[in-house]
Amino acid sequence: MAGPLEGLRVLDLGTRIAAPFCAGLLGEQGADVIKVEQPGSGDFMREIGPFLERDEGPYSLFWSVEGRGRRSVTIDLRRPEGQDLFRRLAAECDVVCENFRPGTLERWHVGPADLDPRLVVVRISAFGQDGPYALRPGLDRLGIGYGGLLHLTGDPDRPPVRPGVTTSDYLTGVFAAQAATAALYRRDAGDGAGAGAVIDACLYASVLRILEWTVAAYDRLGTVREREGNRLATSAPLDNYPTADGRYVCLVAGSDTYYARLCRAMGREDLIVDPRYATLHERAARSDEINGIVAAWTSTLPASEVERLAVEHDVPVATAYTAADIAADPHMAARGDLVEVDDPVAGAVRQQAPAVRFVGEPRPVPTGAPRLGEHTREVLGGLLGLGNEELDRLAADGVI
């Protein structure tokens, strides 16, 4: 894929989501991403459903999405010959992305100190590369737990609820990709004098960074923020309101302007001048009342009609979309938010497009997720100059 990072080469040494997602974002902006996987097994993402049944066996659609836009090379990093191959391969690259437990790459003799100093090495872990928790195992759920998001998610009278997707993994991948591009800029265009960098990104810290005023309010006010469900203590009406067809529609009408518009959309102009709801402060203090009035109205209409009336009166609104809604939405179709990826196993698969567009440039379509080791000979032969005889020997020895 062409893009602003065309000519950049990235080694994806990660598994599951965070580090591969970081590498994948760089790939969506034009970098050549080479994924290094364990011979015989590959990335664990290949084993996570949902699965599409094919003649060759179940195929992970999760892998189809998160494995796209890269080439697959198999190298056994537990073997000295594999470690040597990796070091040579890394010398031909600009960025390495990994998310093993701290110290793993050093044990394999492929840590940052063993690699070309021009490399930008992105290291993603649950708790960071140092500190008392560094060596603990960790996945996404721990990131949202230690980062403070899990405690805030859900209704106040019920246990915490995780977000519907692996938030800390994806969020850390985004932060890490931004840091990698900053390090590359410093290396190549700034005052870095050609030196690379080691980026320490961890799951909980990425979540911690988006906690808004939570820490500051505790520090200065002693306030421990708690779960508020779908509402905000300082704003009303605001909620995910039920509709007559079993859907939910989010309406955000806390300001005086939006509140008046919503009242007109509901045909309840009388509420605009009702002294009980005249100000944001009054509405917030009576949030159950005003949200109940809005919910009673939405419950009589299908979601599409609630949305139509809200849009007609310029009120912020969004229906809680399902995958079927996303696939049928005309706005997303007009903007190209879904692309058809040519997967080598599944065939044409409609997936999320790269999220960010460069205006005036075509939105890139990622290549399909590769078969395990599909590009081993192509990459090792092309970049390292290994001949067929040497490649055959390495394959027979289980190194690749």
Side-chain angles (χ1 to χ4, degrees):
M1 296 181 293
L5 296 183
E6 188 173 9
L8 196 76
R9 189 172 292 126
V10 177
L11 272 184
D12 170 14
L13 191 56
T15 60
R16 296 183 185 262
I17 296 174
F21 188 63
C22 172
L25 290 176
L26 299 176
E28 289 178 357
Q29 295 179 3
D32 174 22
V33 180
I34 299 170
K35 185 171 186 65
V36 175
E37 303 184 71
Q38 178 69 16
S41 56
D43 192 330
F44 182 68
M45 289 301 297
R46 295 179 180 271
E47 307 301 323
I48 300 178
F51 297 102
L52 182 67
E53 292 298 331
R54 311 301 288 174
D55 291 342
E56 55 202 274
Y59 180 67
S60 168
L61 291 174
F62 207 156
W63 166 254
S64 179
V65 174
E66 300 308 344
R68 71 190 195 185
R70 65 203 76 202
R71 298 187 283 172
S72 173
V73 172
T74 52
I75 300 176
D76 189 347
L77 295 180
R78 296 168 177 82
R79 305 271 296 275
E81 273 193 292
Q83 295 161 8
D84 179 63
L85 284 175
F86 182 83
R87 288 189 292 267
R88 292 169 60 189
L89 190 57
E92 303 296 326
C93 296
D94 299 279
V95 179
V96 172
C97 299
E98 65 99 1
N99 58 345
F100 290 98
R101 200 180 301 193
T104 301
L105 296 193
E106 283 74 11
R107 289 196 301 274
W108 292 343
H109 309 291
V110 292
D114 303 299
L115 304 178
D116 191 307
R118 292 189 71 258
L119 276 169
V120 172
V121 181
V122 176
R123 313 198 74 171
I124 297 179
S125 60
F127 297 102
Q129 298 297 311
D130 54 18
Y133 299 167
L135 296 182
R136 292 186 182 184
L139 300 170
D140 172 75
R141 190 74 64 97
L142 278 69
I144 62 174
Y146 276 94
L149 178 61
L150 186 62
H151 178 73
L152 300 178
T153 306
D155 293 316
D157 58 344
R158 297 184 182 183
V161 178
R162 77 168 185 88
V165 296
T166 47
T167 305
S168 71
D169 271 317
Y170 286 115
L171 189 62
T172 306
V174 174
F175 279 135
Q178 186 278 324
T181 55
L184 289 167
Y185 175 81
R186 184 179 64 182
R187 185 192 75 176
D188 297 338
D191 59 359
V198 179
I199 294 167
D200 181 355
C202 61
L203 303 187
Y204 83 86
S206 298
V207 173
L208 181 65
R209 179 59 185 86
I210 64 166
L211 286 194
E212 304 170 338
W213 48 264
T214 305
V215 176
Y218 176 72
D219 180 62
R220 300 307 300 270
L221 305 175
T223 301
V224 176
R225 190 174 182 178
E226 301 291 348
R227 291 185 290 286
E228 297 178 325
N230 295 314
R231 300 180 183 180
L232 293 176
T234 57
S235 183
L238 184 156
D239 205 342
N240 298 335
Y241 299 97
T243 62
D245 53 350
R247 309 292 298 278
Y248 286 88
V249 172
C250 177
L251 293 164
V252 182
S255 72
D256 291 344
T257 298
Y258 285 139
Y259 171 66
R261 292 176 183 174
L262 177 59
C263 291
R264 295 187 184 99
M266 295 191 298
R268 293 293 308 274
E269 287 84 350
D270 60 297
L271 294 172
I272 301 174
V273 295
D274 191 318
R276 295 174 299 172
Y277 314 121
T279 67
L280 175 59
H281 177 74
E282 293 291 344
R283 292 191 296 275
R286 295 175 170 82
S287 62
D288 286 345
E289 295 174 22
I290 192 61
N291 279 308
I293 292 171
V294 177
W297 171 68
T298 62
S299 296
T300 66
L301 300 170
S304 59
E305 182 65 6
V306 175
E307 185 167 333
R308 185 190 70 80
L309 288 167
V311 169
E312 184 178 297
H313 289 82
D314 205 22
V315 178
V317 61
T319 300
Y321 264 13
T322 67
D325 297 320
I326 292 170
D329 186 82
H331 179 77
M332 293 192 190
R335 286 182 52 82
D337 291 323
L338 300 180
V339 294
E340 196 169 87
V341 174
D342 185 15
D343 188 284
V345 177
V349 181
R350 193 154 49 149
Q351 304 178 2
Q352 309 93 302
V356 177
R357 300 189 298 179
F358 290 83
V359 176
E361 302 178 26
R363 179 174 280 183
V365 177
T367 57
R371 297 174 186 272
L372 179 61
E374 180 179 345
H375 305 95
T376 300
R377 289 177 175 267
E378 172 187 303
V379 170
L380 297 184
L383 292 182
L384 304 188
L386 301 184
N388 286 331
E389 185 175 329
E390 178 67 1
L391 291 169
D392 289 341
R393 183 191 68 79
L394 290 169
D397 291 343
V399 177
I400 63 173

